[in-house]
Amino acid sequence: MTSWQMPRRALALPAFWFALTISTISTIPTINVQAQSKNDPDPHRGAPLNAFSLDYEYEDFDRNVESWQLLSAELSHRFGFGSVIARVNDAERFGSHGDQIELDAYPHLGKGTYAYLNVGHSNDGIFPKWRGGAEIYRNLPHSFEASVGFRRLLFSSSDVTLYTGSVGKYKGNYWISLRPYISSDNSGTSASGTITLRRYYVDADQYIGFDVGYGEGAAPDVTQQEITRLRNWSARVSTHWKVRPTVVLLGRIGYRDQEFQFAKRKSVYAGFGIEKRF
């Protein structure tokens, strides 16, 4: 028997929701997501004006690392200039507990142009003391979209700057996107990237997605203990589904393989959430 046993009870609910969604896909009608202009990075555009969501994620490791847990609650409101989202994150990592508050905004900058703004704070070591970011999105001809921006993570003993952007393409019911990260910290500069593919169904709230990532160095959700990461590759399958006009469920299952200077570790994780719009 290996030392790594998947926490079946912890993963059962998101795995069941994901399997149920997959099993019903063949009966769902589809739309042309390209024709309906789904390349808006603001997930809360459109009525109703408010949304409240809860999300839980559990991650289990193959080595002597305690399982991670993350619970997030967020409240959003759509103003005339765009959406503003307040979020509280509560986490258990490396045997320690921590909380973080964040504020996101998606202001409109003109036709076909949007921005993403983020600021966050925590007094607990498993999160950055301060984090911030900005990114500008632009719709382009022939159903392309592009963005450019950065993330800044300030820990108690080190800082990380991430330069990022994205290039995406819509084709019928599909969307594919490439997002690179160039990270700069005390140990130097490194690069990583993620490819995302989504298959949309009835509307933009109903899709199945697949992500693959590979590279070195930091990521936007990196912890202070992981800044020295040498290599990382990951894969994730996710689903986002509207079960009622104002209720959306989401789930994800993923795998990570990470290499550090003196150790390697692998993990599986699963998450699920619910959003109520009002």
Side-chain angles (χ1 to χ4, degrees), residues 9-54:
R9 292 183 179 179
L11 301 180
L13 184 56
F16 170 77
W17 160 239
F18 181 78
L20 181 62
T21 302
I22 293 294
S23 67
T24 59
I25 284 178
S26 60
T27 65
I28 300 295
T30 63
I31 60 165
N32 189 316
V33 69
Q34 174 184 337
Q36 295 197 8
S37 301
K38 304 304 178 184
N39 49 349
D40 183 352
D42 182 354
H44 299 279
R45 175 185 295 272
L49 296 177
N50 305 294
F52 176 76
S53 66
L54 288 173

Side-chain angles (χ1 to χ4, degrees), residues 36-76:
Q36 295 197 8
S37 301
K38 304 304 178 184
N39 49 349
D40 183 352
D42 182 354
H44 299 279
R45 175 185 295 272
L49 296 177
N50 305 294
F52 176 76
S53 66
L54 288 173
D55 187 89
Y56 173 78
E57 183 173 290
Y58 184 97
E59 185 165 4
D60 188 60
F61 296 87
D62 65 336
R63 296 185 178 273
N64 190 26
V65 178
E66 292 191 29
S67 298
W68 289 10
Q69 299 183 68
L70 175 65
L71 177 65
S72 299
E74 68 175 43
L75 178 66
S76 70

Side-chain angles (χ1 to χ4, degrees), residues 93-116:
R93 293 174 175 171
F94 302 107
S96 299
H97 177 266
D99 297 304
Q100 180 189 54
I101 57 173
E102 290 187 273
L103 189 67
D104 295 344
Y106 291 87
H108 313 318
L109 303 180
K111 185 177 181 180
T113 304
Y114 314 89
Y116 161 75

Side-chain angles (χ1 to χ4, degrees), residues 24-259:
T24 59
I25 284 178
S26 60
T27 65
I28 300 295
T30 63
I31 60 165
N32 189 316
V33 69
Q34 174 184 337
Q36 295 197 8
S37 301
K38 304 304 178 184
N39 49 349
D40 183 352
D42 182 354
H44 299 279
R45 175 185 295 272
L49 296 177
N50 305 294
F52 176 76
S53 66
L54 288 173
D55 187 89
Y56 173 78
E57 183 173 290
Y58 184 97
E59 185 165 4
D60 188 60
F61 296 87
D62 65 336
R63 296 185 178 273
N64 190 26
V65 178
E66 292 191 29
S67 298
W68 289 10
Q69 299 183 68
L70 175 65
L71 177 65
S72 299
E74 68 175 43
L75 178 66
S76 70
H77 179 78
R78 181 170 55 87
F79 295 91
F81 61 84
S83 292
V84 175
I85 305 168
R87 183 183 307 106
V88 177
N89 301 312
D90 182 87
E92 292 281 347
R93 293 174 175 171
F94 302 107
S96 299
H97 177 266
D99 297 304
Q100 180 189 54
I101 57 173
E102 290 187 273
L103 189 67
D104 295 344
Y106 291 87
H108 313 318
L109 303 180
K111 185 177 181 180
T113 304
Y114 314 89
Y116 161 75
L117 304 173
N118 167 263
V119 63
H121 174 68
S122 175
N123 289 318
D124 302 304
I126 61 176
F127 289 109
K129 185 173 181 62
W130 288 98
R131 65 169 297 149
E135 191 161 352
I136 296 177
Y137 293 80
R138 177 66 181 175
N139 295 346
L140 301 175
H142 306 293
S143 300
F144 280 94
E145 64 177 7
S147 69
V148 60
F150 75 95
R151 311 289 187 268
R152 178 74 170 162
L153 311 176
L154 306 179
F155 295 95
S156 58
S157 60
S158 59
D159 302 336
V160 178
T161 301
L162 294 166
Y163 303 98
T164 187
S166 65
V167 177
K169 167 70 175 178
Y170 288 83
K171 183 68 174 178
N173 300 315
Y174 293 89
W175 174 69
I176 187 169
S177 175
L178 171 64
R179 175 174 290 275
Y181 289 101
I182 305 297
S183 63
S184 176
D185 53 48
N186 298 338
S187 62
T189 303
S190 55
S192 61
T194 301
I195 296 176
T196 300
L197 176 66
R198 288 180 183 174
R199 168 64 155 96
Y200 287 91
Y201 290 86
V202 176
D203 55 33
D205 286 316
Q206 304 191 72
Y207 63 80
I208 298 294
F210 182 65
D211 304 81
V212 176
Y214 183 82
E216 302 175 352
D221 60 348
V222 71
T223 67
Q224 186 164 350
Q225 294 88 337
E226 296 178 301
I227 291 177
T228 58
R229 186 172 60 191
L230 300 178
R231 181 189 58 81
N232 169 68
W233 86 264
S234 61
R236 181 183 70 170
V237 181
S238 60
T239 179
H240 194 277
W241 220 255
K242 184 188 293 182
V243 294
R244 292 185 179 180
T246 59
V247 178
V248 177
L249 297 181
L250 55 119
R252 58 195 176 276
I253 297 176
Y255 172 82
R256 295 187 179 100
D257 186 326
Q258 300 174 314
E259 179 181 346

Side-chain angles (χ1 to χ4, degrees), residues 1-8 60-61:
M1 180 180 296
T2 63
S3 59
W4 180 27
Q5 295 182 349
M6 182 179 293
R8 296 181 179 177
D60 188 60
F61 296 87

